[in-house]
Amino acid sequence: MKKLFVVSLSLLAAVSSFAKGDWKGKVIDQKGEPVAYANVAVLSKADSTVVCGAVTEEDGTFNIITSEKDGIMMVAMLGYRTQYLSPVDGMTVILVDDSSMLEAAAIQAVMPKTKLTGEGLQTAVRGSVLENVGSANDVLAKTPGIIKSSNGLEVIGKGAPLVYINGRKVTDATELQRLQSNEIQSVEVITNPGAQYDATVKAVIRIKTIKRQGEGFGFNLNASDAQSLRWAKGNDSFGGVNVNYRNGGVDYFGGINYQGNTGRQLSDAETSSYYIKEGKVNELKNVGDIDGQFFGKALYGNAGVNWQIADNHFMGGKIEWGKTIQSYDRTVVNAKVYENTVQTDDLTTITDDTQGTPGGYNIGGNLYYNGVVGGKLGVDVNLDYYGTGNNSISSSAETSLMTTDAAINSTSGSASRMYAGKAVLSYPIWIGQLQAGTEDTFTRRTDEYQISGVAIPSSSAKVKEDNYAAFASYGFMLPQLGMINAGVRYEHVTYAYEDAMNPETNLSRSYGNFFPNASFASMIGPVQLMLNYSAKTRRPSYDYLSGAIRYNSKYIWQSGNAQLQPEISHNISFTAVWKWVTLMVNYARTNDAMMAWSAPYVKEGVADGVVLVKPRNIDVPYRNMAAYVNITPVVGPWTINYTVGLLPQWLTLTMEDPREATGSRTVSFNDKVPFIAQCLNTLTLKGGWQLELGATMQTKGYSQNIYLNSTYLDVTAAVQKTLLKDGSLVLRLEGADIANMAHMTVETDFGSHYINQSNLMDTQKVKFSIRYSFNSAQSKYRGTGAGADEKARM
């Protein structure tokens, strides 16, 4: 790491030594908005070679120090026409959109335009039909590259992303609901994050808000209520108030929010497990139904300050907290059990999970400095703390018509704390930008688990993990060729797991890895192109590493695996954008992929029908691809946002199966490829009215070793009315899962254990929301945070 900074500082000093002149200016687009990260280079008039250069700041400004007195200035940014002009100190450069001549002005005014940025796909929200669709969650659900699935919002082919707002990691789950669509300038979807991001991050969404002008007091109020159409008790409510006060260079902000959630799952399940008993293959079949209900209430709050010390110098701090008020989960399982086709049990299990004392909580804090030193050296420093804890009490009453009844009681508790620091230096060198930095994360966790009524050991575990990382990247624009960026990140991790009650599971290890990345973006005529490569990892969650066995039911137990290794993936993506058409293809090869696996539980060489669910690393590479096309044309007041794609994979596993003479069998999970489609229609009418109709679909197909055996279809509709002259009051009524088909049947093959389960989730709802903003001023908080991925693991 020390060598890394020595090299960086040497390069900075070498460039600074040529300084003799000083040219300042600003780069804006046709709407007068600043263009950040544009490349500004000075070319020699003699032979057009590059003398020096700079990259514009977020406000579009640049400062070039050079000995060249009579050169040519080149200003380039992907998606805009390159400008060549004579440099003048204090000049303003207007970049013209490269596709503006190809589109009608009326379409530009409302279409959510998407373009490449060199890192990902950026969609403009301001001035488009997305500007008033509701919250940030509503915007993301309609953004190209993102799809709303049964698991929530996902980047296609990458899973759940990390979300940043103005460079700051989102840790509060309600923040995307609080942020309103009319506060958003743009959304950028990055499918191969660079070296500055943790190596576990496979997708990033960067939301940039509109920079409000003026000072004084402002606030916004948000409230919503969603009622289930299937279940009278199913109700989700939300309410929040956020305030902001600006005076001079100081910005104070804070807010408090309440969230109530309910959930219900109705399932029919059939499982079969196969094991050797008394020298013969034994089959235990479990046929039954499940009714799971959840009720939760929580409060969230935040407060902070941002101080603009001087031009290009900012510092501040922020505190976020959350408190679980209620958490109650009841699951009723009715099951008939058959051993070799003979019924051996008729069992009803009622499990109540409640919040213990103290209840669930989380608290986080961030201190930051962000500025430019000497006119060119960018400095970004963040210090973070994050703590979380949870305690729960579980009681299971088992009533059997054929065997004995049982009562199982358990208590569990966990507490985690994380300390993290991140420092990033950036400097314009030659025709590009050099960035180098370090990110260090230190995590401590305790887990306690006590159980009675069944022969499962209790546990008392401690986890210690330290992650040291250093990274560097360089990006530049070559005239007539394109934008090139390359970087590398090194991470060294030490890990220790100790269980005082089960010392045989204790483990300590360390590992270090380099994670390179590279990207190339260019244009061929009106078509924008981008090619990316990155190496990523995925580390086991702490639940996956816990050696404690948890009791789910009489026949299903669950455990972590302290021997799990991180998985390593190599990712390649290609993107092309032409007018309102976007094509993207992502391919990934993952070694040591982690999968939750179930198999008969064997104790002292004997299996008695209990299945243990335990994660493991598979011993063959897992390869998968996502390929899709998105179109966003506009026909009069009608805006179309359609996405269609395929999710193929290549996976063949050899699994233990006592029914086979060899004791195992080989299964291919390649032949059934799921198809995805998302069709969103928006009709913008006079008088502030907006009508929406949409549908998201996924067909049958494999995902790892899970077969989705039904078509998932979520049909939605909404009507929205914007009131008052400034549009500060918005009323919205929407319906979800109108067709009652947003559920799936899944089949899972583990060799010696097979599961077939149909699930009906409580997704058919009607929601009404109201939002009001008074003199709303978006917080200017500029902290970017550190340890983002570790917070998610905790």
Side-chain angles (χ1 to χ4, degrees):
M1 189 182 305
K2 182 177 179 181
K3 291 182 178 179
L4 175 66
F5 284 113
V6 168
V7 172
S8 300
L9 293 175
S10 297
L11 289 172
L12 304 183
V15 173
S16 299
S17 65
F18 289 100
K20 291 185 180 180
D22 191 357
W23 286 341
K24 297 180 180 179
K26 186 173 184 178
V27 180
I28 61 175
D29 62 16
Q30 292 167 287
K31 295 180 179 180
E33 298 290 339
V35 178
Y37 312 117
N39 290 271
V40 183
V42 176
L43 312 179
S44 170
K45 276 191 173 181
D47 54 9
S48 296
T49 58
V50 176
V51 178
C52 63
V55 177
T56 59
E57 303 293 335
E58 286 193 0
D59 60 359
T61 60
F62 64 88
N63 183 13
I64 295 180
I65 302 174
T66 177
S67 58
E68 185 72 24
K69 296 296 185 180
D70 188 27
I72 300 172
M73 180 173 288
M74 178 193 74
V75 183
M77 180 66 179
L78 195 68
Y80 296 91
R81 293 184 178 179
T82 301
Q83 300 279 4
Y84 296 90
L85 38 95
S86 299
V88 178
D89 189 31
M91 67 192 304
T92 298
V93 181
I94 301 176
L95 290 183
V96 178
D97 196 317
D98 218 6
S99 58
S100 61
M101 302 302 293
L102 302 174
E103 301 174 1
I107 292 179
Q108 286 186 16
V110 296
M111 188 174 69
K113 188 175 180 181
T114 298
K115 64 181 180 181
L116 292 177
T117 63
E119 286 188 282
L121 284 170
Q122 185 183 78
T123 298
V125 175
R126 188 179 185 183
S128 77
V129 294
L130 298 181
E131 186 171 14
N132 290 303
V133 297
S135 68
N137 275 326
D138 297 315
V139 173
L140 296 181
K142 304 173 189 299
T143 299
I146 303 173
I147 193 167
K148 186 178 181 181
S149 70
S150 57
N151 298 320
L153 294 173
E154 296 183 354
V155 174
I156 299 177
K158 296 289 185 174
L162 287 181
V163 180
Y164 290 79
I165 298 177
N166 294 333
R168 177 181 54 80
K169 166 71 169 63
V170 173
T171 57
D172 182 350
T174 68
E175 187 165 2
L176 293 177
Q177 186 169 348
R178 300 196 306 267
L179 179 62
Q180 301 307 297
S181 56
N182 61 2
E183 297 285 345
I184 298 175
Q185 177 75 32
S186 63
V187 174
E188 185 176 6
V189 180
I190 302 174
T191 56
N192 275 329
Q196 64 174 304
Y197 298 99
D198 190 291
T200 61
V201 178
K202 294 185 177 180
V204 168
I205 293 175
R206 293 200 300 218
I207 298 175
K208 184 179 179 180
T209 62
I210 298 170
K211 293 186 178 181
R212 300 297 186 187
Q213 303 299 322
E215 299 186 348
F217 175 77
F219 68 87
N220 62 69
L221 303 173
N222 305 291
S224 66
D225 187 84
Q227 176 60 45
S228 170
L229 300 181
R230 296 195 190 113
W231 181 39
K233 296 180 181 180
N235 183 268
D236 300 334
S237 56
F238 175 85
V241 56
N242 296 277
V243 298
N244 188 281
Y245 177 73
R246 291 180 179 177
N247 185 20
V250 184
D251 176 30
Y252 306 93
F253 58 91
I256 187 167
N257 299 271
Y258 164 83
Q259 189 168 16
N261 293 102
T262 61
R264 191 180 192 189
Q265 175 180 333
L266 298 174
S267 301
D268 292 317
E270 179 178 321
T271 69
S272 297
S273 58
Y274 306 93
Y275 55 96
I276 302 298
K277 184 177 182 180
E278 298 177 352
K280 297 181 179 180
V281 177
N282 209 58
E283 178 191 19
L284 192 75
K285 178 176 289 187
N286 193 312
V287 181
D289 58 79
I290 303 168
D291 183 353
Q293 303 178 12
F294 170 77
F295 304 87
K297 298 177 181 179
L299 278 176
Y300 301 91
N302 68 85
V305 61
N306 181 83
W307 178 26
Q308 184 172 353
I309 307 170
D311 289 343
N312 294 323
H313 292 280
F314 302 85
M315 66 180 302
K318 183 176 184 178
I319 295 176
E320 294 180 305
W321 59 267
K323 175 65 178 177
T324 302
I325 302 173
Q326 178 193 30
S327 179
Y328 173 64
D329 197 333
R330 163 165 281 208
T331 305
V332 179
V333 180
N334 299 301
K336 296 183 184 297
V337 182
Y338 302 86
E339 187 171 354
N340 297 325
T341 71
V342 178
Q343 185 173 354
T344 58
D345 206 350
D346 192 337
L347 184 67
T348 296
T349 303
I350 301 177
T351 302
D352 292 304
D353 295 320
T354 58
Q355 182 175 246
T357 303
Y361 71 90
N362 64 75
I363 184 169
N366 170 259
L367 295 173
Y368 80 92
Y369 167 78
N370 180 281
V372 179
V373 179
K376 301 184 78 172
L377 177 63
V379 180
D380 189 355
V381 178
N382 282 266
L383 300 175
D384 280 75
Y385 169 80
Y386 185 73
T388 182
N390 185 54
N391 293 277
S392 63
I393 301 170
S394 180
S395 300
S396 296
E398 296 179 347
T399 304
S400 175
L401 299 180
M402 302 180 70
T403 60
T404 58
D405 297 344
I408 313 298
N409 298 291
S410 66
T411 60
S412 61
S414 64
S416 304
R417 62 189 190 277
M418 181 211 72
Y419 309 89
K422 185 176 183 178
V424 183
L425 301 178
S426 57
Y427 197 88
I429 291 181
W430 190 40
I431 57 171
Q433 185 94 345
L434 174 67
Q435 186 180 78
T438 179
E439 182 174 14
D440 303 317
T441 306
F442 310 95
T443 306
R444 305 294 182 264
R445 180 182 174 97
T446 60
D447 278 297
E448 302 288 339
Y449 182 67
Q450 304 287 334
I451 188 168
S452 62
V454 67
I456 290 178
S458 299
S459 67
S460 177
K462 294 182 179 180
V463 176
K464 176 182 177 182
E465 183 174 290
D466 298 333
N467 185 328
Y468 305 88
F471 57 88
S473 64
Y474 183 71
F476 59 96
M477 174 77 82
L478 289 179
Q480 311 303 321
L481 182 59
M483 183 181 296
I484 300 173
N485 190 290
V488 65
R489 183 183 180 99
Y490 176 77
E491 294 189 358
H492 179 78
V493 180
T494 60
Y495 172 83
Y497 175 89
E498 295 181 0
D499 189 338
M501 295 185 178
N502 305 279
E504 70 279 3
T505 65
N506 291 354
L507 176 71
S508 63
R509 65 188 181 199
S510 65
Y511 41 84
N513 299 94
F514 285 95
F515 299 98
N517 69 278
S519 67
F520 172 71
S522 185
M523 295 191 69
I524 300 178
V527 181
Q528 304 172 59
L529 303 171
M530 182 169 63
L531 183 65
N532 286 296
Y533 164 79
S534 66
K536 296 292 179 181
T537 186
R538 177 188 168 210
R539 299 189 182 93
S541 67
Y542 291 109
D543 287 340
Y544 262 28
L545 291 170
S546 173
I549 296 177
R550 305 297 172 102
Y551 186 86
N552 286 355
S553 71
K554 183 176 181 179
Y555 296 100
I556 300 178
W557 298 356
Q558 187 171 344
S559 173
N561 181 0
Q563 304 297 324
L564 274 181
Q565 294 294 321
E567 60 183 38
I568 303 293
S569 63
H570 299 273
N571 308 273
I572 297 175
S573 67
F574 171 77
T575 307
V577 178
W578 176 73
K579 292 187 179 181
W580 37 260
V581 180
T582 301
L583 167 69
M584 179 170 282
V585 179
N586 293 308
Y587 172 82
R589 174 192 167 108
T590 303
N591 298 322
D592 295 320
M594 290 180 288
M595 293 185 182
W597 203 266
S598 61
Y601 177 58
V602 179
K603 185 177 182 180
E604 297 178 355
V606 178
D608 59 1
V610 173
V611 169
L612 181 65
V613 180
K614 185 177 181 179
R616 74 172 209 183
N617 298 108
I618 62 173
D619 55 5
V620 296
Y622 172 60
R623 295 173 294 149
N624 66 296
M625 187 173 71
Y628 68 90
V629 175
N630 171 261
I631 61 171
T632 56
V634 172
V635 181
W638 177 29
T639 300
I640 298 171
N641 186 344
Y642 291 175
T643 300
V644 294
L646 297 172
L647 301 173
Q649 68 172 26
W650 297 267
L651 178 65
T652 301
L653 297 175
T654 299
M655 306 177 293
E656 294 181 1
D657 189 341
R659 294 172 295 176
E660 301 293 330
T662 59
S664 64
R665 59 187 170 90
T666 300
V667 180
S668 174
F669 302 95
N670 308 328
D671 58 332
K672 298 174 182 178
V673 178
F675 167 85
I676 59 171
Q678 182 167 272
C679 302
L680 305 174
N681 303 273
T682 303
L683 194 63
T684 305
L685 305 176
K686 294 180 179 180
W689 288 97
Q690 184 166 296
L691 306 179
E692 301 172 21
L693 180 64
T696 301
M697 180 182 71
Q698 181 169 337
T699 63
K700 300 178 182 181
Y702 280 113
S703 176
Q704 294 189 342
N705 64 324
I706 299 173
Y707 179 61
L708 309 177
N709 197 21
S710 65
T711 296
Y712 172 92
L713 177 63
D714 183 12
V715 179
T716 61
V719 56
Q720 179 176 290
K721 172 65 174 176
T722 302
L723 300 169
L724 304 182
K725 290 183 178 180
D726 59 355
S728 58
L729 178 62
V730 179
L731 307 179
R732 184 177 175 87
L733 180 67
E734 53 191 300
D737 191 14
I738 296 173
N740 194 22
M741 294 179 62
H743 47 267
M744 282 187 171
T745 298
V746 297
E747 299 178 16
T748 312
D749 189 352
F750 298 103
S752 58
H753 185 223
Y754 177 81
I755 302 173
N756 186 330
Q757 180 170 315
S758 63
N759 303 301
L760 177 63
M761 314 302 290
D762 185 37
T763 52
Q764 193 173 52
K765 297 182 178 182
V766 174
K767 178 181 178 181
F768 176 75
S769 61
I770 180 171
R771 300 184 300 277
Y772 176 71
S773 301
F774 171 76
N775 193 27
S776 179
Q778 185 68 31
S779 169
K780 296 187 293 183
Y781 196 74
R782 299 169 67 93
T784 57
D789 180 68
E790 189 60 26
K791 295 175 187 176
R793 293 177 71 208
M794 291 166 57

